[in-house]
Amino acid sequence: MATILITGSKGQLGSEIQEVHNRFNPLNFIFTDIDSLDISDVPQLKNFFNNNKIDYIVNCAAYTAVDKAESDRRNAEKLNILSVSNLAKLATNYKIKLIHLSTDYVFDGNSAVPYSETDKTNPVSVYGITKLKGETEALRHLKTIIIRTSWLYSSFGNNFVKTMLRLTGDRDEVGVVNDQSGNPTYAHDLALVILQIIQSSEENPENFKPGIYHYANEGECTWYDLTCEIVNYTGLECMVNPIMTVDYPTPAKRPAYSVFNKEKIKLAYNIEIPHWKDSLHVCLDKLKK
């Protein structure tokens, strides 16, 4: 029976994996976060791997405070680069397969067509730079799958969907950026895909296909479109006004276009990806309960 280590298990994606992992018997899971396993601490990691036979690592741990990273580069580098390097080196030593999560922020957002895995990267923020360097470290281990995702949200943790649900419930009107396009991603859907990849590779080791993959829900929208869908679906009476990025300045620059081409992961793992509106409705129904 394979044992899977989930790092960053208290975050959005880690929490979703915890919620669905029982569907994937007979896989065995160990869920950790900074309070139980500090992945920046090599001696602690070695001790952990000496005491636990791990077959897969799913690294959900990351420094994701995009704006804060601009003034807190050291900590962003510690979690997004150094810690990933530690996991990759030890994964090689202990013969562990690694699944590492990355982001649309490795691109500059200047494309006019959906980004494929082979497109040139050019991050425009400290967060994006650290995540791209983390990818390089992860790929030093030959048995690594990197999944880049975008606009992640969940019923767990803090995210755009939960923030806008709160704001549009409290206010008569809100202004939301309408000149950034991307693919919202329901972390629940991504959690299922990650565990399906592991289950598939347990059935046949050749099904673990190292490399970089893009995953997000189908369909594209702007933050404004996403907010309008939240308001319309929940029946909230709040006016949503489109604004430009220049009207909402932030410390970190955002990619204006974060749409992914997802053909590679669909073909490699024979998966069907839900449309973003359908997945958003599922999440909103869950939050309503």
Side-chain angles (χ1 to χ4, degrees):
M1 178 172 65
T3 297
I4 299 103
L5 167 65
I6 310 293
T7 62
S9 67
K10 292 181 180 176
Q12 293 187 81
L13 182 58
S15 296
E16 293 284 3
I17 292 174
Q18 288 197 63
E19 186 163 86
V20 302
H21 79 280
N22 286 331
R23 301 186 201 176
F24 293 84
N25 289 326
L27 299 178
N28 180 46
F29 291 82
I30 299 176
F31 293 97
T32 67
D33 212 281
I34 182 70
D35 52 2
S36 53
L37 182 65
D38 183 352
I39 59 173
S40 70
D41 185 331
V42 173
Q44 192 181 139
L45 277 173
K46 283 182 177 176
N47 185 55
F48 178 87
F49 289 127
N50 285 333
N51 291 322
N52 298 276
K53 172 69 175 76
I54 303 296
D55 300 286
Y56 299 83
I57 300 167
V58 180
N59 183 33
C60 302
Y63 187 108
T64 58
V66 175
D67 288 323
K68 190 180 176 188
E70 294 295 311
S71 57
D72 190 26
R73 189 176 194 126
R74 186 161 165 265
N75 283 317
E77 290 176 342
K78 181 180 176 183
L79 196 47
N80 292 347
I81 307 171
L82 174 66
S83 296
V84 179
S85 175
N86 293 343
L87 290 175
K89 286 172 184 171
L90 291 168
T92 299
N93 295 345
Y94 289 87
K95 296 182 169 55
I96 302 168
K97 296 180 177 77
L98 173 63
I99 298 178
H100 174 66
L101 279 299
S102 192
T103 174
D104 56 303
Y105 279 69
V106 300
F107 297 111
D108 57 21
N110 293 331
S111 179
V113 295
Y115 282 105
S116 67
E117 292 81 356
T118 54
D119 284 335
K120 185 177 182 295
T121 52
N122 184 35
V124 292
S125 65
V126 168
Y127 169 69
I129 290 166
T130 61
K131 289 298 289 182
L132 181 59
K133 288 181 177 177
E135 288 187 5
T136 301
E137 294 303 317
L139 290 172
R140 295 187 196 281
H141 176 45
L142 298 180
K143 292 281 188 178
T144 292
I145 287 173
I146 290 174
I147 301 178
R148 290 178 182 149
T149 192
S150 60
W151 294 25
L152 199 69
Y153 68 92
S154 164
S155 59
F156 300 99
N158 299 314
N159 54 70
F160 181 85
V161 169
K162 288 173 77 174
T163 298
M164 296 318 295
L165 192 59
R166 175 175 52 80
L167 291 179
T168 54
D170 291 344
R171 300 180 184 179
D172 294 327
E173 61 179 304
V174 293
V176 185
V177 170
N178 194 35
D179 58 351
Q180 294 175 21
S181 298
N183 308 121
T185 307
Y186 186 22
H188 180 88
D189 296 338
L190 178 54
L192 289 173
V193 166
I194 290 168
L195 299 189
Q196 284 163 8
I197 288 171
I198 293 173
Q199 190 173 61
S200 171
S201 70
E202 279 302 288
E203 292 163 2
N204 179 356
E206 290 185 7
N207 289 341
F208 192 90
K209 301 164 186 172
I212 298 173
Y213 297 86
H214 288 171
Y215 181 89
N217 284 116
E218 294 284 29
E220 65 180 84
C221 65
T222 66
W223 296 112
Y224 167 80
D225 298 328
L226 180 53
T227 307
C228 288
E229 189 63 26
I230 292 168
V231 169
N232 292 338
Y233 186 74
T234 55
L236 290 166
E237 294 183 5
C238 178
M239 175 72 72
V240 184
N241 301 314
I243 63 172
M244 306 293 281
T245 298
V246 292
D247 299 324
Y248 187 74
T250 55
K253 188 179 179 185
R254 266 73 174 165
Y257 185 82
S258 288
V259 180
F260 278 158
N261 179 323
K262 302 170 291 281
E263 290 307 307
K264 183 179 176 182
I265 198 166
K266 286 194 278 192
L267 289 171
Y269 292 102
N270 192 30
I271 58 170
E272 289 187 16
I273 303 177
H275 192 274
W276 71 265
K277 285 187 180 181
D278 296 328
S279 290
L280 176 66
H281 297 169
V282 171
C283 184
L284 291 172
D285 286 343
K286 188 175 176 185
L287 287 167
K288 213 185 309 182
K289 291 174 186 171

